[in-house]
Amino acid sequence: MQPSETNWAGNLAYRAGAMARPSSREELLAALAGEGELRVVGSRHSFNTITDTAGTLVSAEDLPAGIEIAADRRSVGLGGGVRYGDLAVELARHGLALANLASLPHISVAGAIATGTHGSGDRLGSLATSVRALTFLAPDGAERTYRRGDEDFAGAVVHLGALGVVVRVELDVEPAYQVVQTVFESLDWATVVENFDAVTGCGTSVSLFTSWGGTGGVDQIWVKDRADAPAGNAAAVLAGLGARPADGPRHPLPGGDTRASTEQLGLPGLWSERLPHFRLAFTPSSGDELQSEYFLPREAARAAIARVQALGPRLAPLVQVSELRTVRADDLWLSPAYGQDVVAFHFTWRPDQPAVEALLPELEAALGEGVRAHWGKLWQLDPASVAGGYERWDDFVALQRRHDPQGRFVNDFLRRLGL
């Protein structure tokens, strides 16, 4: 283990005693052998200690990709270390697509699923809702596969890395489609709140960017619409509310390099080149940032926006940019969208972790009751209240104990939650 082993943002130096980078099943089994704690990392795009361990840290990056299209062209199988961007390239080669993507194509499929990470859209579920099957490898070499419809499948998909090493994932796919992306600017919060359903429903995927300072409103509205099934007339809706189309390409971060952003200005393009905010060929930032994200029931979002607005003077010095977007409800036990449509409040912070963590309790109080935190980002909520926010939490605890009775995949982060 080298001291340089950190997460993507560099705010966490892993304390593991050993680092394994297996490139085959045999090497993976060797890394899992013996005793002691085990955790798995993919693209390392987590900002808290969810993947940290005092034992062995296993990187899935070098495991075989193993991307295979099913004969009926309705699903794709892949290995545990594959990134969304690389999967998208292969699917596009076969004229296929996923229903949704996150803003970063650089993240690993297995890692995004494990934490309930999401894309955006009133009618789109999180990335985990496309999972058809998931195979876990135990330290003794035993495999356990869960398929959609199996008992406990809904508990195994968003698993926090506590059920073993994901060695195989099967996802739904569909025929490739085109997406049009347009950015609009300058809409005041009062108008957004009053017309919230119209704004978030005016495209297949809609993101609202703000700094919670400056003009005091929404600075940019990114609308991504499927060309084969447009969700709404974004130009008419947003122009009617007073927003104006951007006169050139934009980056979500004020002053950011627009070359890293996916194509805008209403130019149609392949799903994989429009649904993310950023191009796979560019690193969207140097990692010189921190992130938090919170999910609120959709019906609670309007009131929460007003309370967060009031915190603007406290937030503005630390916020690089904040993004609001919606996610459809699902039935996955530990998904932040379990049982309810949600609005995600995302915060990209300046890299001052003590100041950010000191402010988070105030922000969390402003967001209000019923808030769920992104499993892999910074939050200061009471761990007992976090677990208590998921009605199937006790069922997941029982599932984890059956999978891993010795607790080898449980670390301090998970123990604080009650595993």
Side-chain angles (χ1 to χ4, degrees):
M1 184 73 177
Q2 300 297 319
S4 61
E5 295 288 355
T6 67
N7 63 345
W8 175 84
N11 69 303
L12 174 68
Y14 295 114
R15 59 192 178 92
M19 178 84 183
R21 299 178 184 274
S23 58
S24 66
R25 180 185 177 87
E26 293 72 27
E27 291 179 2
L28 176 57
L29 284 170
L32 302 182
E35 299 180 353
E37 200 171 274
L38 299 162
R39 293 297 284 171
V40 182
V41 290
S43 53
R44 309 189 189 196
H45 202 268
S46 56
F47 296 79
N48 59 28
T49 58
I50 189 169
T51 55
D52 199 18
T53 177
T56 299
L57 196 64
V58 180
S59 171
E61 292 175 292
D62 296 335
L63 290 173
I67 299 175
E68 297 178 355
I69 308 296
D72 62 5
R73 293 174 56 83
R74 297 176 62 186
S75 64
V76 61
L78 54 137
V82 175
R83 300 185 304 170
Y84 273 101
D86 299 319
L87 173 61
V89 169
E90 186 65 12
L91 289 178
R93 196 169 68 84
H94 290 271
L96 295 171
L98 299 171
N100 203 356
L101 277 175
S103 57
L104 282 175
H106 310 71
I107 63 176
S108 69
V109 174
I113 290 165
T115 53
T117 299
H118 60 97
S120 168
D122 285 3
R123 288 164 290 279
L124 293 175
S126 76
L127 301 175
T129 59
S130 69
V131 174
R132 282 190 171 207
L134 206 59
T135 299
F136 297 92
L137 179 68
D140 63 2
E143 287 188 357
R144 183 174 298 184
T145 298
Y146 291 91
R147 299 191 177 278
R148 189 180 289 149
D150 289 351
E151 184 180 8
D152 294 334
F153 170 82
V157 177
V158 181
H159 54 86
L160 312 185
L163 302 184
V165 182
V166 173
V167 291
R168 197 74 182 159
V169 182
E170 188 178 319
L171 303 176
D172 293 325
V173 296
E174 59 185 271
Y177 54 86
Q178 298 268 304
V179 172
V180 172
Q181 179 169 234
T182 309
V183 176
F184 297 83
E185 295 180 312
S186 300
L187 199 57
D188 65 88
W189 275 121
T191 301
V192 170
V193 169
E194 184 179 352
N195 302 276
F196 194 74
D197 292 345
V199 171
T200 65
C202 74
T204 304
S205 171
V206 178
S207 293
L208 311 177
F209 289 98
T210 180
S211 65
W212 300 106
T215 63
V218 177
D219 302 315
Q220 298 181 27
I221 306 162
W222 287 43
V223 180
K224 307 163 191 283
D225 219 0
R226 285 183 65 145
D228 62 345
N233 191 339
V237 170
L238 296 176
L241 295 175
R244 62 178 185 273
D247 58 7
R250 297 291 187 264
H251 188 286
L253 195 66
D257 186 351
T258 59
R259 293 176 301 171
S261 302
T262 48
E263 193 79 49
Q264 302 154 30
L265 302 175
L267 298 175
L270 199 60
W271 63 282
S272 54
E273 298 171 358
R274 297 293 185 275
L275 288 180
H277 295 333
F278 302 104
R279 303 175 193 263
L280 180 62
F282 285 79
T283 302
S285 72
S286 63
D288 200 19
E289 64 185 48
L290 302 170
Q291 292 184 12
S292 299
E293 189 162 28
Y294 300 93
F295 302 83
L296 279 174
R298 187 180 179 103
E299 61 271 17
R302 291 177 174 88
I305 287 171
R307 293 192 297 269
V308 176
Q309 265 190 286
L311 276 182
R314 301 269 289 119
L315 293 170
L318 286 173
V319 170
Q320 295 192 55
V321 72
S322 182
E323 178 181 7
L324 273 67
R325 47 186 171 170
T326 58
V327 187
R328 192 194 70 208
D330 61 52
D331 65 349
L332 306 175
W333 297 355
L334 297 191
S335 165
Y338 174 80
Q340 58 189 11
D341 293 337
V342 295
V343 177
F345 288 67
H346 176 92
F347 298 84
T348 296
W349 306 102
R350 302 187 188 282
D352 184 346
Q353 191 159 343
V356 169
E357 291 184 335
L359 180 60
L360 287 181
E362 195 173 349
L363 171 60
E364 292 164 356
L367 289 168
E369 295 183 1
V371 65
R372 292 170 175 167
H374 189 294
W375 293 110
K377 300 186 180 181
L378 295 178
W379 44 270
Q380 292 288 299
L381 295 166
D382 174 62
S385 73
V386 171
Y390 292 88
E391 57 191 81
R392 301 297 300 271
W393 177 260
D394 289 342
D395 295 323
F396 180 76
V397 171
L399 176 64
Q400 184 273 330
R401 287 175 179 166
R402 293 197 298 274
H403 259 268
D404 182 25
Q406 295 180 329
R408 294 197 63 197
F409 290 95
V410 177
N411 62 355
D412 288 345
F413 179 96
L414 298 178
R415 279 187 282 272
R416 286 193 294 271
L417 292 169
L419 286 182

